[in-house]
Amino acid sequence: EDKVVQSPLSLVVHEGDTVTLNCSYEVTNFRSLLWYKQEKKAPTFLFMLTSSGIEKKSGRLSSILDKKELFSILNITATQTGDSAIYLCASPGAGSYQLTFGKGTKLSVIP
Amino acid sequence: DVKVTQSSRYLVKRTGEKVFLECVQDMDHENMFWYRQDPGLGLRLIYFSYDVKMKEKGDIPEGYSVSREKKERFSLILESASTNQTSMYLCASSPWSDSNEKLFFGSGTQLSVL
């Protein structure tokens, strides 16, 4: 059974802090790992990672994949209150149409 | 931009009622999905469809059915709603391509069954 595990499940930080969110996976026929941000209702796509060691970056957010150790991290630098959201990690695994999601990390950024 | 529209943001129904959740996408995507999201459990796949009139069970199909008569529309049906189906329901779509794992989500329907 495919498994995606995120940690921590929740996190409270102050504005300006740097945070690291973790995602480990056990997935048959691994192809990719995806990160989503869910602020109110609709998760929005952040990154898709397929290769080990190559950092993907978008503004203050960055992510990297380690296919040997089977994990990914999402870094957010200089956090802002607008970064408060649930961050979801997912992988398609054995069934190419089906994303297996982790339970998410709820990030709260306080002023 | 891809738009996935779910017909209702909030819905309150009574136990035993038949409930229809509608989802429409405007990007001609082949694949469409229904997930439910519950605190502490994350997103779980109910059903998906990779073509008109085609459907496949996800991880938790019990108590649900789906309909895909047109490419752009994917409906989730609760034949007889029960209180344990109170949840956030998310529809998603993706194209038939090498990156079909990149899903585009609707804004969700918060369903309460009383």
Side-chain angles (χ1 to χ4, degrees):
Chain A
E1 184 185 330
D2 296 335
K3 202 187 305 184
V4 175
V5 179
Q6 293 186 246
S7 64
L9 292 182
S10 67
L11 192 55
V12 180
V13 300
H14 286 95
E15 268 191 316
D17 287 351
T18 292
V19 298
T20 297
L21 309 183
N22 303 294
C23 176
S24 65
Y25 62 90
E26 291 177 28
V27 164
T28 308
N29 298 327
F30 176 82
R31 292 194 291 139
S32 61
L33 187 133
L34 294 90
W35 285 97
Y36 284 84
K37 178 183 181 183
Q38 185 178 23
E39 287 181 81
K40 290 178 182 175
K41 295 286 176 71
T44 54
F45 172 80
L46 293 174
F47 300 112
M48 184 165 78
L49 304 156
T50 56
S51 302
S52 254
I54 298 175
E55 186 183 55
K56 293 229 173 174
K57 202 169 167 65
S58 175
R60 296 176 294 102
L61 277 67
S62 63
S63 184
I64 198 160
L65 178 68
D66 185 327
K67 288 167 78 171
K68 184 179 175 187
E69 300 296 330
L70 307 184
F71 77 90
S72 174
I73 59 172
L74 176 69
N75 278 321
I76 308 174
T77 59
T79 52
Q80 302 171 357
T81 54
D83 295 324
S84 295
I86 297 172
Y87 290 84
L88 299 165
C89 170
S91 180
S96 63
Y97 299 103
Q98 300 185 40
L99 281 181
T100 298
F101 281 85
K103 293 181 180 179
T105 294
K106 184 177 181 181
L107 174 66
S108 301
V109 181
I110 54 178
Chain B
D1 276 354
V2 175
K3 193 159 184 186
V4 180
T5 304
Q6 294 184 231
S7 53
S8 306
R9 293 293 292 269
Y10 301 95
L11 213 50
V12 180
K13 295 292 181 181
R14 297 224 173 260
T15 302
E17 278 193 78
K18 190 168 185 175
V19 181
F20 292 86
L21 301 183
E22 306 286 347
C23 175
V24 177
Q25 51 94 3
D26 66 357
M27 280 302 290
D28 203 36
H29 284 171
E30 286 78 12
N31 306 320
M32 295 188 76
F33 307 82
W34 276 106
Y35 286 86
R36 64 178 281 178
Q37 185 176 26
D38 301 287
L41 295 176
L43 272 78
R44 294 177 293 165
L45 182 65
I46 306 171
Y47 267 98
F48 65 99
S49 168
Y50 54 88
D51 202 353
V52 174
K53 297 194 185 294
M54 305 302 289
K55 61 184 178 184
E56 294 283 344
K57 292 180 180 178
D59 298 318
I60 51 163
E62 297 78 19
Y64 302 95
S65 62
V66 290
S67 172
R68 190 149 181 221
E69 296 296 318
K70 293 185 177 181
K71 191 175 185 180
E72 66 270 19
R73 186 180 297 269
F74 192 34
S75 303
L76 181 69
I77 303 155
L78 289 65
E79 293 288 342
S80 178
S82 63
T83 54
N84 63 12
Q85 292 178 310
T86 291
S87 186
M88 169 66 71
Y89 289 88
L90 288 164
C91 175
S93 71
S94 70
W96 186 286
S97 71
D98 287 341
S99 40
N100 61 4
E101 60 263 49
K102 181 180 171 183
L103 302 185
F104 297 85
F105 284 90
S107 294
T109 296
Q110 179 63 54
L111 173 67
S112 296
V113 182
L114 306 177

